[in-house]
Amino acid sequence: MGKTVFAAELVRRFNEDRKGTVIAVVFFKFNDSSSQDPALLLKSIVYQIVQAFPSIAIDFLNVLNHKSETSIEGIFDEYLMMALNLVASKMPTTKHLIVLDALDECGLQDSMDRKSLLMLFQNKFRELPGGVKLFVTGRLEERYRSCTS
């Protein structure tokens, strides 16, 4: 079974389990330029979260109107964490899952974008609220091994 099939099956099974919610899914493609920009990736995840939980949309938009972050660290801190904290506060006992498939296809192979995204995962994703889990698939390339341990 390939990694994309595995990720899709995980999403299907998680959705069948009424104890949790898949709040964002990203399937990267090496030939899709929109899936190669880490800032767009984070914004896509935020968008999917707000779409999945309309009850947080107004709170989120009120804060969003006063911010204009463009760095991936800023987008993570100001937008993604805010959306996740709003979801966690409204549904504190529910498990929430974010799935990123084929992360090795995000950004150009030797780009700083991919390296900075991996460093962001290493440093920031430990800050996710309690019920939020991240599932990532991708080829573990030797030069990025230190970012994933």
Side-chain angles (χ1 to χ4, degrees):
M1 176 181 334
K3 61 186 180 296
T4 299
V5 173
F6 185 83
E9 182 64 14
L10 175 68
V11 168
R12 186 187 70 75
R13 288 185 185 192
F14 200 84
N15 281 332
E16 283 180 356
D17 176 14
R18 302 275 185 231
K19 298 175 190 160
T21 306
V22 176
I23 57 175
V25 179
V26 177
F27 291 96
F28 294 102
K29 296 177 186 164
F30 75 93
N31 59 354
D32 179 3
S33 61
S34 67
S35 74
Q36 296 180 3
D37 180 344
L40 288 178
L41 158 70
L42 294 175
K43 290 177 182 179
S44 173
I45 293 170
V46 170
Y47 178 80
Q48 290 180 58
I49 293 168
V50 173
Q51 287 287 104
F53 298 94
S55 63
I56 71 165
I58 302 242
D59 295 332
F60 187 77
L61 289 174
N62 286 335
V63 174
L64 188 62
N65 286 332
H66 304 289
K67 301 198 182 281
S68 61
E69 287 296 331
T70 56
S71 71
I72 63 170
E73 294 84 6
I75 293 167
F76 181 91
D77 291 336
E78 299 295 331
Y79 303 145
L80 182 59
M81 286 303 291
M82 180 180 54
L84 291 173
N85 284 324
L86 285 168
V87 168
S89 70
K90 296 201 183 273
M91 303 176 74
T93 60
T94 304
K95 295 182 284 183
H96 305 289
L97 180 65
I98 299 171
V99 176
L100 305 178
D101 178 60
L103 183 63
D104 56 301
E105 296 185 22
C106 176
L108 300 174
Q109 190 167 10
D110 292 317
S111 74
M112 287 306 296
D113 284 343
R114 188 187 294 182
K115 291 174 187 170
S116 61
L117 184 61
L118 289 169
M119 292 305 294
L120 179 79
F121 286 170
Q122 181 182 22
N123 297 326
K124 297 279 192 173
F125 271 79
R126 293 181 179 124
E127 299 172 14
L128 294 176
V132 178
K133 302 298 176 200
L134 176 68
F135 180 81
V136 179
T137 70
R139 291 177 194 90
L140 185 57
E141 298 172 4
E142 188 61 38
R143 65 181 151 246
Y144 303 121
R145 195 173 295 273
S146 65
C147 296
T148 58
S149 56

